[in-house]
Amino acid sequence: VGASLIDGKAIAKAVRSELKPRVAALIERGHQPGLTVVLLGNNPASETYVKAKANDCVKLGMRSEVLRLPEITRQDELLQVISRLNADPGVDGILVQLPLPAHIAKLAILEAINPNKDVDGFHPINIGRLQIGAEAFLPCTPYGVIVMLKRSDIEIAGRRAVVVGRSDIVGKPIAQLLLQEHATVTVCHSRTNDLRAVTREADILIAAIGKPRFIVEEMVKPGATVIDVGINRVGDVLVGDVDFERVREVAGAITPVPGGVGPMTRAMLMNNTVVAAERFSGK
Ligand SMILES: NC(=O)c1ccc[n+]([C@@H]2O[C@H](COP(=O)([O-])OP(=O)(O)OC[C@H]3O[C@@H](n4cnc5c(N)ncnc54)[C@H](OP(=O)(O)O)[C@@H]3O)[C@@H](O)[C@H]2O)c1
């Protein structure tokens, strides 16, 4: 039989088409939403992501700006750029593309971004607000995962969710959002004993590990929903953290890679930028 496919591409498209009239309404009121992405150096993966984000903006009729700075930019110079963007009323969203070079203290940069322009949801204020269930910019990948589950009519409340991975930008906030949706949440990581026994308990299994095809069928409870956050380059192909071909035989629903969480992440960034613009324009 096999699992049903959760089509992230299609859900992301629906999210974007719902944003279109909101962008149009903002433009009508003289406030074109604008996202500025700051990129240091020329990491090829970052280049790809930045281009995709700029493209998404343009397609939605939003203003997009990419500030390409040399790898050797000093921290105080970067802080000055951020402070200028914070003050610029034409900039609704600021995104500093990670990873940053090692000579820059990531936290100092993330903390310098105006939390109301922090469309990536990485400022400690937004992380704290998420933690207490206050209105906040939600980090795009975790937000995308939740929207994807909801729009696929997958019940979250009361069910057992297992998140493999505890990074600040993916694993932890996904766990937090699932908790808010009333799942019973377990977070696993590289020091978890008998991982397979834990993942087999999951009604909803989230893989955010960064290891190609790590989750195999023996780790999955029959009928479970499996969300694959992983993006790993193996030779010329992109593969997830889930062994898709094998796991789809046991899972109830599964996301593909590519075409799963990735497009959702991009759509939620657009969503956050529109929300920021609506707030600034006083709506
Ligand atoms: N779809 C998207 O838009 C999107 C966005 C962001 C990231 N990603 C992808 O998602 C994946 C995770 O990203 P990340 O930034 O969260 O990565 P990360 O910071 O490297 O975190 C990986 C997590 O996986 C855990 N882990 C590693 N090996 C493990 C093992 N053998 N057993 C159990 N847990 C293990 C680590 O545990 P410890 O904490 O103990 O080290 C860590 O918590 C990557 O493939 C990344 O490319 C996709």
Side-chain angles (χ1 to χ4, degrees):
V1 198
S4 66
L5 213 63
I6 301 177
D7 187 347
K9 228 169 135 178
I11 301 170
K13 192 174 170 192
V15 169
R16 281 196 309 270
S17 63
E18 289 162 23
L19 291 174
K20 270 188 194 151
R22 290 165 65 183
V23 173
L26 281 158
I27 292 174
E28 188 125 317
R29 297 218 307 280
H31 187 120
Q32 184 187 26
L35 173 69
T36 296
V37 176
V38 183
L39 173 63
L40 263 67
N42 41 22
N43 175 320
S46 294
E47 269 293 342
T48 310
Y49 293 143
V50 164
K51 278 194 190 124
K53 288 164 188 174
N55 246 325
D56 290 342
C57 282
V58 171
K59 278 202 214 133
L60 277 176
M62 309 195 329
R63 201 188 52 77
S64 145
E65 177 188 32
V66 179
L67 295 181
R68 287 190 166 73
L69 305 177
E71 174 103 31
I72 55 160
T73 303
R74 291 193 319 267
Q75 181 164 320
D76 63 300
E77 291 172 322
L78 181 54
L79 287 169
Q80 263 173 38
V81 169
I82 289 169
S83 122
R84 178 169 66 69
L85 296 173
N86 282 343
D88 184 343
V91 176
D92 296 296
I94 303 170
L95 184 154
V96 176
Q97 184 65 43
L98 302 179
L100 284 166
H103 67 277
I104 294 194
K106 182 177 78 179
L107 183 57
I109 301 305
L110 297 179
E111 281 187 310
I113 297 171
N114 177 347
N116 298 318
K117 297 191 176 189
D118 171 39
V119 288
D120 240 350
F122 292 165
H123 192 294
I125 294 250
N126 282 315
I127 295 171
R129 292 180 65 88
L130 160 62
Q131 187 79 17
I132 61 172
E135 203 181 337
F137 283 119
L138 303 178
C140 301
T141 297
Y143 193 6
V145 168
I146 295 293
V147 168
M148 199 174 205
L149 289 170
K150 286 189 170 171
R151 294 200 180 202
S152 307
D153 291 323
I154 288 157
E155 185 77 38
I156 304 175
R159 301 180 79 211
R160 187 79 193 267
V162 174
V163 182
V164 189
R166 56 170 164 183
S167 72
D168 290 336
I169 59 172
V170 187
K172 278 185 204 163
I174 289 178
Q176 190 61 40
L177 286 170
L178 288 166
L179 184 59
Q180 231 164 61
E181 297 294 330
H182 314 292
T184 299
V185 184
T186 304
V187 184
C188 302
H189 43 78
S190 67
R191 308 282 290 270
T192 298
N193 287 336
D194 198 0
L195 181 65
R196 172 187 304 201
V198 184
T199 58
R200 275 196 73 91
E201 293 281 304
D203 301 311
I204 299 170
L205 178 61
I206 315 280
I209 308 155
K211 300 228 157 103
R213 304 188 187 97
F214 183 87
I215 301 288
V216 293
E217 67 204 293
E218 297 79 23
M219 301 171 80
V220 177
K221 173 168 150 179
T225 295
V226 180
I227 306 287
D228 189 352
V229 181
I231 302 180
N232 311 287
R233 191 169 288 281
V234 176
D236 277 346
V237 289
L238 289 185
V239 299
D241 290 346
V242 175
D243 188 341
F244 181 83
E245 292 306 330
R246 289 170 64 199
V247 169
R248 72 183 304 186
E249 299 296 322
V250 295
I254 189 168
T255 63
V257 176
V261 176
M264 291 304 298
T265 297
R266 286 167 57 179
M268 298 333 288
L269 175 64
M270 296 302 110
N271 173 83
N272 285 354
T273 306
V274 171
V275 168
E278 286 173 344
R279 288 198 197 139
F280 282 121
S281 80
K283 193 185 161 194

